[in-house]
């Protein structure tokens, strides 16, 4: 049986049925990829995946990113290093403490961002699987950076051509109030250059590439670059470009980090358990390399 595709918009967000991601047929995989390049966010309801099956499906899109951001604390992490733990649980499986470092760090997921733009070789796509959802709140919003690029006035498109932004995890974390990086963590994740506008190779579409990780624009006074980034993020996240995902248990949602931003909505994380794990696939190269922009030293 071939997969069923239910688009939410003509080319942004689709729900996919008639596939079991624990053992997708090659023909289903090919159809999923084609849909993914077109819609950028895919929702797969009612999937029952072991961690390994989740990783196997993710690996069909490229290499799994396994490098951590935070050093591990006293206890071993709850999940295998191939996953980002998008839960509010500590290593023992209990709801985290109000003042826990993980909680402070993950508050940054409430800001508009795209995953791993703070890595030199950034994230291509992320696959987030929900095993326990909060009964109220905890939605995830997605914004289409391709449609937002298309809607820019020609003068702005011209102004942005060839611009490079500096992305750093410390930049977004500072914005959300987390400044406690250790010296080792800071050395591991220095600022990296990323193109402000990029082309998606699979369909030739141009897209903005912004995130709260972006702090300044190279060659521009700091305040001016910052103001431009803030203005563009406000543009991308207008409601006509945004889809809000209301989670159901066993949803797997995958998004294209190259041309979308997302953010987690608030929920009472000291009351309700929300348990999700994310596999992240690395892009093929730094965005400046992909765009043919000389990578600044
Ligand atoms: C993520 C993320 C937001 C959320 O998984 O990368 O930012 O709603 N999640 O949990
Ligand atoms: Mn994220």
């Amino acid at each position: 049986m071939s997969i069923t595709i239910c688009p939410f918009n003509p080319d942004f967000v689709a729900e996919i049925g008639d596939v079991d991601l624990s053992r997708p047929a090659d023909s289903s995989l090919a159809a999923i990829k084609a849909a993914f390049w077109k819609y950028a966010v895919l929702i797969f309801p009612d999937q029952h995946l072991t961690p390994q099956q989740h990783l196997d499906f993710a690996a069909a899109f490229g290499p799994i990113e396994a490098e951590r951001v935070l050093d591990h604390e006293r206890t071993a992490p709850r999940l295998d290093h191939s996953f980002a733990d998008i839960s509010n649980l500590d290593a023992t499986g209990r709801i985290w403490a109000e003042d826990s470092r993980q909680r402070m760090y993950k508050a940054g997921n409430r800001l508009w961002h795209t995953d791993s733009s703070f890595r030199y070789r950034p994230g291509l796509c992320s696959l987030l699987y929900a095993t326990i959802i909060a009964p109220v709140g905890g939605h995830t919003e997605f914004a289409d950076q391709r449609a937002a690029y298309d809607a820019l006035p020609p003068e702005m498109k011209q102004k942005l051509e060839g611009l490079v932004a500096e992305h750093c995890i410390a930049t977004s974390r500072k914005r959300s109030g987390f400044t406690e990086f250790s010296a080792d963590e800071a050395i591991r994740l220095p600022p990296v250059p990323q193109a402000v506008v990029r082309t998606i190779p699979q369909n030739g579409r141009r897209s903005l590439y912004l995130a709260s990780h972006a702090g300044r624009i190279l060659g521009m006074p700091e305040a001016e670059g910052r103001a431009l980034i803030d203005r563009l993020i406000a543009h991308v996240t207008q409601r006509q470009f945004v889809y809000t995902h209301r989670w159901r248990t066993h949803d797997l949602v995958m998004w294209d980090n190259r041309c979308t931003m997302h953010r987690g909505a608030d929920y009472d994380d000291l009351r309700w358990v929300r348990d999700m794990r994310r596999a992240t696939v690395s892009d093929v190269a730094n965005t400046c390399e992909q765009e043919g922009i000389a990578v600044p030293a």
Side-chain angles (χ1 to χ4, degrees), residues 71-275:
D71 284 326
H72 295 319
E73 286 156 18
R74 294 171 304 280
T75 39
R78 214 168 56 90
L79 303 179
D80 179 271
H81 65 280
S82 300
F83 288 107
D85 186 349
I86 309 295
S87 74
N88 58 336
L89 302 174
D90 66 18
T92 67
R94 280 190 288 262
I95 289 185
W96 54 23
E98 185 166 8
D99 62 353
S100 80
R101 195 162 178 263
Q102 287 290 336
R103 180 169 191 254
M104 299 301 158
Y105 172 74
K106 283 177 191 151
N109 279 344
R110 311 262 168 107
L111 303 178
W112 284 108
H113 67 282
T114 186
D115 293 332
S116 292
S117 69
F118 54 83
R119 298 186 193 278
Y120 184 76
R121 184 174 162 181
L124 176 98
C125 60
S126 294
L127 300 92
L128 185 58
Y129 180 52
T131 52
I132 303 177
I133 59 168
V136 273
H139 307 352
T140 308
E141 294 175 284
F142 296 91
D144 185 352
Q145 301 210 69
R146 305 162 305 176
Y149 176 81
D150 291 344
L152 288 173
E155 314 79 67
M156 181 57 99
K157 286 181 178 160
Q158 202 163 12
K159 175 180 165 133
L160 299 181
E161 210 48 51
L163 289 188
V164 176
E166 199 175 76
H167 291 235
C168 186
I169 185 70
T171 301
S172 60
R173 271 23 188 194
K174 204 166 149 190
R175 286 178 179 164
S176 66
F178 178 91
T179 49
E180 331 280 283
F181 287 104
S182 69
D184 283 355
E185 289 163 351
I187 288 168
R188 195 162 63 227
L189 291 164
V192 298
Q194 302 290 1
V196 171
V197 179
R198 61 185 307 185
T199 306
I200 305 305
Q202 284 80 9
N203 55 21
R205 287 193 70 178
R206 302 281 278 156
S207 180
L208 287 165
Y209 186 60
L210 297 160
S212 299
H213 308 310
R216 60 190 194 103
I217 293 183
L218 299 184
M220 236 183 235
E222 174 122 15
E224 193 185 320
R226 188 88 181 210
L228 179 58
I229 291 166
D230 289 349
R231 217 170 104 208
L232 289 170
I233 290 179
H235 167 73
V236 173
T237 56
Q238 295 177 89
R239 56 185 307 157
Q240 67 268 32
F241 305 128
V242 172
Y243 160 75
T244 301
H245 188 63
R246 209 291 178 228
W247 290 90
R248 296 155 296 192
T249 309
H250 299 127
D251 276 349
L252 182 131
V253 177
M254 70 181 294
W255 59 87
D256 191 334
N257 282 307
R258 302 171 304 176
C259 59
T260 62
M261 279 197 285
H262 60 279
R263 69 172 177 184
D266 219 2
Y267 69 104
D268 189 346
D269 65 305
L270 297 175
R271 179 177 178 196
W272 308 113
V273 173
R274 181 179 188 258
D275 191 2

